Amino acid sequence: MKTFTTAKSPKRQEKILHWRNEFEEQLHQMYWCELQLAQALPKLAKLATSYELTSAILAHLAVTENQIIRLIHVFDAIGERAVGQRCPELETMMTAHPDFEAIDSGYERDREIIASAQELMQFEVAAYGKLHLLAVNLNEDLAAEFLALAIKEEKNAFARLTEIKLSSIYFDAAS
């Protein structure tokens, strides 16, 4: 029969320390990602040609700015300084995207913008999901709450882009 004690075993303490280090590293990377996206979204909005896509991108910029603020609160809650750490995955995704200016204005450009934005959002959902799980495991309740909200926001933005892709852009292409 397994017995439980209130003292944490050295193995458990080691696991918690590993989770803490991973959580903090991922948090710094996510903060950097959101800062990069906050700079990129206005440029992307200017390149979009449909009103719906431009509006969705600008709405997501506001969401991204709120996510940055919430991440700063998470840093404060865990006693860390809000400093970004380069995220190689995001850098790779951002440099791999096509040159949107080289694509003719219209549904083709908007389609490429949506595809690229949705790829980034999938990355964000996965990254926030991992952070959320770590926050739950570490009993970081405020962080878990804020990270769960970010997951929901990214999924909603992804869904909105899908609606735009399936309605206005492809409708315009068929015309």
Side-chain angles (χ1 to χ4, degrees), residues 128-144:
Y128 276 125
K130 184 176 182 179
L131 277 167
H132 179 260
L133 179 62
L134 288 167
V136 168
N137 287 337
L138 294 167
N139 294 318
E140 293 289 353
D141 297 335
L142 178 68

Side-chain angles (χ1 to χ4, degrees), residues 41-104:
L41 288 172
K43 297 171 190 169
L44 211 53
K46 287 181 182 175
L47 291 171
T49 57
S50 78
Y51 172 78
E52 293 85 0
L53 181 55
T54 302
S55 296
I57 292 169
L58 292 175
H60 195 64
L61 174 60
V63 168
T64 300
E65 290 168 344
N66 285 330
Q67 288 171 344
I68 290 169
I69 292 167
R70 286 196 303 266
L71 287 172
I72 292 169
H73 288 301
V74 171
F75 280 115
D76 288 343
I78 65 170
E80 278 284 310
R81 195 165 156 243
V83 176
Q85 179 181 332
R86 286 183 113 64
C87 177
E89 294 90 350
L90 181 73
E91 281 186 312
T92 300
M93 278 189 273
M94 290 180 88
T95 57
H97 290 157
D99 177 9
F100 299 119
E101 291 178 8
I103 301 171
D104 288 338

Side-chain angles (χ1 to χ4, degrees), residues 25-33 85-89:
E25 181 180 345
Q26 294 285 319
L27 194 62
H28 286 287
Q29 287 184 0
M30 202 65 222
Y31 181 66
W32 182 86
C33 290
Q85 179 181 332
R86 286 183 113 64
C87 177
E89 294 90 350

Side-chain angles (χ1 to χ4, degrees), residues 3 16 40 53 62 71 79 83 85 106-107 113 115 120 125 127 144 152 156:
T3 59
I16 291 171
L53 181 55
L71 287 172
V83 176
Q85 179 181 332
Y107 77 94
I113 289 171
L120 291 170
V125 167
K152 183 178 179 183
N156 288 342

